Amino acid sequence: MVPGSNPGCITSALRDPMSMERTNLLNMAKLSIKGLIESALSFGRTLDSDYPPLQQFFVVMEHCLKHGLKVKKSFLGYNKSLWGPLEMVEKLCPEAGEIAASVRDLPGLKTPLGRARAWLRLALMQKRLADYLRLLITRKDLLSDFYDNSAVMVEEEGAVIVGLLVGLNVIDANLCVKGEDLDTQVGVIDFSMYLKNDIDDYRSGERNGQVAAILDQKNYVEELNRQLNSSVHGLQGRVDNLEKSNSKLIEELAIAKNNIIKLQEENHQLRNENTIILIKAQQQLEVCLLQCPDVENELVVQVSMKQEMDLAMKLLEKDIHEKQDTLIGLRHQLDEVKAINVEMYTKMQTSDDGMKQKNDIITRLEEKTNQITATMKQLEQSDKDLLSQTRTLAMSFVKCASTDTENQYKLVKDISF
């Protein structure tokens, strides 16, 4: 009986050859991973490509990944390639793109199998083999393009193998993939490495305790290392942010300094202009102070002339108002005369006897009306003459004041300013 198996599994496997193959591969994977971890911890240093348990581990993993692999038709015939599903990991996890790119750039690899073997070695060195394969087995829709439904990677055994691969993170491996011939290697499982006698079992039991303690210490150190790495990444992000903010502050400080220099120059220029304006104002003030007595005398004369003009204008306005009142009275009298005239005409029509007498009265009234009309025209003409004389006098005064006192008025305005 193969170690690690149980009678129930063997009974079911006899009925299904694919199930038996999966069980055998699972058991071989358990033995290979366990033996590699134990021997690596007892070996006590970094493993290389010539280490036999490590070579056998890759052979077992190759058989597990090949199980149930669909046959692909190509120009050269039919073949099975591991590189197809492993290349899909790059799309599921961007971090795996570095491994895939390194494998493609290796000059010595010519076959897809060689690329798949190189990919497994690089993932082990990166300590991400279990993580990458876990992402792959969770995508059944992608695996169905490469594997049959009864393949190890599709069934539960694949998940168990991936869980066992997590223990390989305690191993440090330094594998030279570039110089190794991975295209033509023949993967044969060496069962002699896993056949143990009683003495080996006893020694293995003693080493299990040591291995457990070492694994615990290793896991603690790796967990501490992960925490330190996360802290370092966080601090690095803060440092980057501080550097960016510092550069922005430096740029803003430089801009602020330039603005301060420009403002200082503008302030100096404004002070110079202000000094020039003050000097000119003082000069104008001195000139105004020298001319101030003559200006004051001229202002007194102009004020007195203005007062006389105001008095004359008031008298003229009074005379005009009186004449307007007289005209209004004469108009009332004219209206009365017209009313009498109308009344007389009506009486004349009713009385033939007193027609001559009334005609005389009408003639006298018409004469009186004509006299009143002539008097009104004379008064209106005198009003027009007075208005024209007043306007002429005002215009002559304004012209005299504007021509004689324009410079003095400007000078007085400057003094008041």
Side-chain angles (χ1 to χ4, degrees), residues 120-134:
L120 290 173
R121 285 158 174 77
L122 293 176
L124 180 65
M125 285 193 293
Q126 200 181 37
K127 296 185 178 182
R128 297 296 303 277
L129 180 59
D131 297 333
Y132 294 155
L133 294 181
R134 182 182 296 108

Side-chain angles (χ1 to χ4, degrees), residues 65-71 79-82 85 146-148 151:
L65 292 172
K66 281 184 177 181
H67 183 262
L69 193 64
K70 291 182 179 181
V71 177
N79 60 354
K80 294 183 179 181
S81 175
L82 297 178
F146 301 97
Y147 290 99
D148 296 329

Side-chain angles (χ1 to χ4, degrees), residues 252-287:
E252 293 177 355
L253 180 62
I255 295 171
K257 287 182 178 179
N258 293 329
N259 293 332
I260 290 171
I261 293 172
K262 290 180 181 179
L263 291 174
Q264 288 177 351
E265 293 177 354
E266 292 178 358
N267 189 13
H268 183 67
Q269 184 177 0
L270 291 173
R271 286 183 178 179
N272 293 333
E273 293 177 357
N274 190 15
T275 304
I276 294 171
I277 292 171
L278 288 175
I279 293 172
K280 291 182 179 179
Q282 289 178 356
Q283 292 175 356
Q284 292 179 358
L285 182 60
E286 291 176 356
V287 173

Side-chain angles (χ1 to χ4, degrees), residues 85-303:
L86 295 181
E87 194 176 15
M88 292 296 298
V89 179
E90 181 182 4
K91 298 180 180 179
L92 302 177
C93 181
E95 296 178 0
E98 183 180 354
I99 296 178
S102 300
V103 171
R104 296 188 191 99
D105 294 337
L106 288 175
L109 298 179
K110 299 179 181 179
T111 62
L113 180 59
R115 296 189 187 95
R117 289 169 175 173
W119 190 92
L120 290 173
R121 285 158 174 77
L122 293 176
L124 180 65
M125 285 193 293
Q126 200 181 37
K127 296 185 178 182
R128 297 296 303 277
L129 180 59
D131 297 333
Y132 294 155
L133 294 181
R134 182 182 296 108
L135 292 174
L136 185 61
I137 64 174
T138 56
R139 294 298 301 271
K140 304 295 184 182
D141 54 338
L142 297 178
L143 290 177
S144 62
D145 296 335
F146 301 97
Y147 290 99
D148 296 329
N149 294 331
S150 58
V152 171
M153 297 299 293
V154 180
E155 295 293 339
E156 296 180 358
E157 288 82 359
V160 176
I161 292 174
V162 171
L164 294 174
L165 292 175
V166 178
L168 297 179
N169 293 336
V170 300
I171 297 176
D172 296 325
N174 185 13
L175 308 177
C176 184
V177 181
K178 186 175 181 180
E180 191 173 357
D181 185 12
L182 300 177
D183 291 328
T184 60
Q185 287 183 0
V186 179
V188 179
I189 300 176
D190 186 6
F191 290 98
S192 62
M193 296 182 62
Y194 308 109
L195 297 176
K196 301 180 180 180
N197 52 27
D198 296 337
I199 298 174
D200 292 334
D201 293 337
Y202 176 75
R203 292 177 180 177
S204 177
E206 291 180 349
R207 287 196 300 266
N208 285 335
Q210 298 175 358
V211 169
I214 294 172
L215 286 175
D216 292 338
Q217 294 177 1
K218 188 74 172 180
N219 291 330
Y220 173 75
V221 171
E222 288 183 352
E223 183 64 25
L224 184 61
N225 190 20
R226 290 193 188 93
Q227 293 178 359
L228 291 175
N229 287 331
S230 62
S231 300
V232 168
H233 288 304
L235 293 174
Q236 186 65 33
R238 292 182 182 177
V239 170
D240 294 337
N241 293 330
L242 289 174
E243 288 178 353
K244 291 179 181 178
S245 61
N246 189 18
S247 61
K248 290 181 180 179
L249 290 174
I250 291 172
E251 292 176 358
E252 293 177 355
L253 180 62
I255 295 171
K257 287 182 178 179
N258 293 329
N259 293 332
I260 290 171
I261 293 172
K262 290 180 181 179
L263 291 174
Q264 288 177 351
E265 293 177 354
E266 292 178 358
N267 189 13
H268 183 67
Q269 184 177 0
L270 291 173
R271 286 183 178 179
N272 293 333
E273 293 177 357
N274 190 15
T275 304
I276 294 171
I277 292 171
L278 288 175
I279 293 172
K280 291 182 179 179
Q282 289 178 356
Q283 292 175 356
Q284 292 179 358
L285 182 60
E286 291 176 356
V287 173
C288 292
L289 290 176
L290 293 174
Q291 297 178 359
C292 186
D294 297 335
V295 173
E296 289 179 353
N297 295 328
E298 192 69 26
L299 283 174
V300 172
V301 174
Q302 293 293 332
V303 169

